[in-house]
Amino acid sequence: MRPGDGQGEGPHTGAPTRRISYTRRYVRLVPALLIAGGLVYELLMPNQFTAVPFFTAAPLVAAPLFGRRYTLVTGCVAVAVVLLVHLLLDSYYGAEALTETITVVTVAGLALLINMVARRSDERLATAREIAEAAQRAVLPEPDERIGGFEIAARYEAAQAGAFVGGDLYAVQDTPHGVRLVVGDVRGKGMGAIGAVAVVIGGFREAAEQEATLEAVAERLERALAREGTRRDGLDAFEGFTTAVLAEIPHGSGVVRVVNRGHPEPLLLHADGTVRTLSSVEPALPLGMGELGSWPDRAQEAEFPGGATLLLFTDGLSEARDGHGVFFEPEMRLLGRTFTGPDALLTALAEEVRQHTGGGMTDDMALLAVRRPADASEGLPASSQRVSE
């Protein structure tokens, strides 16, 4: 984390990136070490022993890990060292020398072929990844830094570099009814999940403008998922349910209203470092599961004073585990800390999750933070946890 992003924070070290860099640097030395080891072996051991396995292993190690030029150079050096050894030992014209040279040349050629196949596979994977990421960016654009007078920051963190995109989503919209937000997690991954994300966000943007209450927005999303599931022949063809939390910050009042549909509970971070969980009085099933039962959504209302930050997130944050299976607890991690803004908060969380999991996150996570300016003077504070009628 950058200095000044938050209190009690150390500098942003980038340890996972450095570990990857160091590992790649050491692996890059393996082919050279194999060739050098083979040379020493040939010069020190009796003639009946051969170091050909060292020389053949070098280009084979280079082939899947490095580029064509590096693989070619490794193979050529291995062949040259074999010839040099037999020249030094004055055995250049023997059958053994010819056999070893042909063996190393053949394996070097195979290594080049392996390298070509690996490069083509990587290119196809990179193309598929770019298409998926472009589709995700199209349906999940990053919100503006300020919306409706509030500071906004959002972040999507993939579990692993090169992993398939998931179904985490977020959206923010300024409407006549206030600033409305949604953070959700669609069941599944890949292009099917992106299709469901498009349905949820599209439905949210339309309903957020048209519906007078947050509860009505949730009902519209429920119907949109049910309709899409029927159109695509049910759950087997469509990612059929979504955990989601919807929030509404009305204009002219210092409150926030929340409807939670089976999603991790949002946190409210106050300017003095206290943290409050916006718990649901009545648990509800995720969106898209209305056929299992019906109940009226009821928004929970809480104070949202100036300087406070509303944090919404998916379970990729709250269910991240370390090597001992211990969950990452955002509420405990954030207690007593303050940040210069929403972006600093999300930067700190993302880095700490990577450190907690050792860089081995198993699920994507979406983060959305909304900060009310400290000098906001909207309305009067509402009593906490009132149920809107």
Side-chain angles (χ1 to χ4, degrees):
M1 183 177 170
R2 296 182 300 274
D5 280 349
Q7 295 179 357
E9 299 301 321
H12 178 73
T13 61
T17 302
R18 285 207 300 270
R19 284 198 298 270
I20 293 172
S21 177
Y22 291 154
T23 300
R24 186 171 182 84
R25 184 184 305 171
Y26 294 143
V27 170
R28 198 174 188 88
L29 296 176
V30 171
L33 293 175
L34 286 170
I35 294 174
L39 176 60
V40 173
Y41 185 93
E42 284 280 16
L43 296 178
L44 297 181
M45 297 300 290
N47 290 341
Q48 61 267 33
F49 297 98
T50 178
V52 166
F54 288 87
F55 300 131
T56 56
L60 289 176
V61 170
L65 300 177
F66 305 107
R68 180 172 53 189
R69 179 179 299 177
Y70 189 92
T71 304
L72 177 61
V73 170
T74 301
C76 292
V77 172
V79 173
V81 171
V82 171
L83 296 175
L84 176 63
V85 165
H86 287 289
L87 182 63
L88 294 175
L89 298 177
D90 198 23
S91 58
Y92 183 75
Y93 297 103
E96 182 180 349
L98 181 60
T99 300
E100 290 182 359
T101 303
I102 292 175
T103 299
V104 177
V105 169
T106 302
V107 173
L110 290 174
L112 279 173
L113 180 61
I114 292 171
N115 179 264
M116 291 175 59
V117 172
R119 284 169 59 86
R120 289 177 181 175
S121 297
D122 290 344
E123 289 171 358
R124 287 195 294 267
L125 179 61
T127 299
R129 189 182 304 135
E130 289 173 1
I131 293 172
E133 290 176 353
Q136 187 175 43
R137 285 193 296 269
V139 300
L140 195 65
E142 190 167 334
D144 295 336
E145 293 182 359
R146 294 190 69 90
I147 297 177
F150 297 92
E151 299 175 47
I152 308 290
R155 182 163 302 185
Y156 190 103
E157 292 283 333
Q160 298 177 6
F164 287 109
V165 291
D168 291 13
L169 62 95
Y170 53 75
V172 184
Q173 189 155 328
D174 192 9
T175 75
H177 316 287
V179 176
R180 286 177 168 174
L181 317 94
V182 63
V183 168
D185 188 356
V186 175
R187 179 181 69 94
K189 289 183 178 294
M191 298 304 294
I194 292 178
V197 167
V199 171
V200 173
I201 292 182
F204 169 77
R205 294 202 180 281
E206 181 181 9
E209 289 285 342
Q210 298 176 355
E211 298 295 344
T213 67
L214 197 61
E215 294 90 336
V217 175
E219 292 172 6
R220 283 276 291 272
L221 296 183
E222 178 78 42
R223 292 195 298 271
L225 283 172
R227 182 171 58 250
E228 192 69 11
T230 301
R231 187 176 73 83
R232 300 196 189 187
D233 195 24
L235 294 179
D236 291 338
F238 182 68
E239 310 296 343
F241 66 86
T242 301
T243 67
V245 59
L246 296 95
E248 176 184 88
I249 309 170
H251 296 303
S253 66
V255 301
V256 58
R257 300 188 185 109
V258 176
V259 168
N260 195 325
R261 298 296 294 269
H263 198 78
E265 296 169 334
L267 299 178
L268 193 60
L269 285 62
H270 291 267
D272 61 359
T274 59
V275 179
R276 177 182 175 191
T277 301
L278 302 184
S279 302
S280 300
V281 175
E282 298 180 12
L285 290 175
L287 298 168
M289 301 184 71
E291 73 279 2
L292 300 181
S294 61
W295 59 90
D297 284 306
R298 306 192 71 180
Q300 301 297 124
E301 187 173 287
E303 294 180 12
F304 189 14
T309 301
L310 178 67
L311 174 65
L312 299 90
F313 51 89
T314 58
D315 58 10
L317 176 70
S318 56
E319 296 185 3
R321 304 189 190 193
D322 63 12
H324 303 288
V326 178
F327 288 107
F328 183 88
E329 299 182 5
E331 182 177 4
M332 298 303 298
R333 296 271 185 161
L334 297 172
L335 186 63
R337 298 165 61 185
T338 59
F339 300 87
T340 58
D343 187 67
L345 167 62
L346 300 192
T347 298
L349 279 176
E351 176 63 23
E352 290 175 19
V353 169
R354 284 191 291 268
Q355 293 178 354
H356 181 78
T357 61
M361 294 167 54
T362 58
D363 194 8
D364 297 352
M365 65 178 181
L367 308 172
L368 179 62
V370 181
R371 182 181 186 181
R372 184 187 293 275
D375 58 356
S377 58
E378 293 181 311
L380 298 173
S383 59
S384 62
Q385 289 298 320
R386 293 201 309 268
V387 179
S388 63
E389 299 299 333

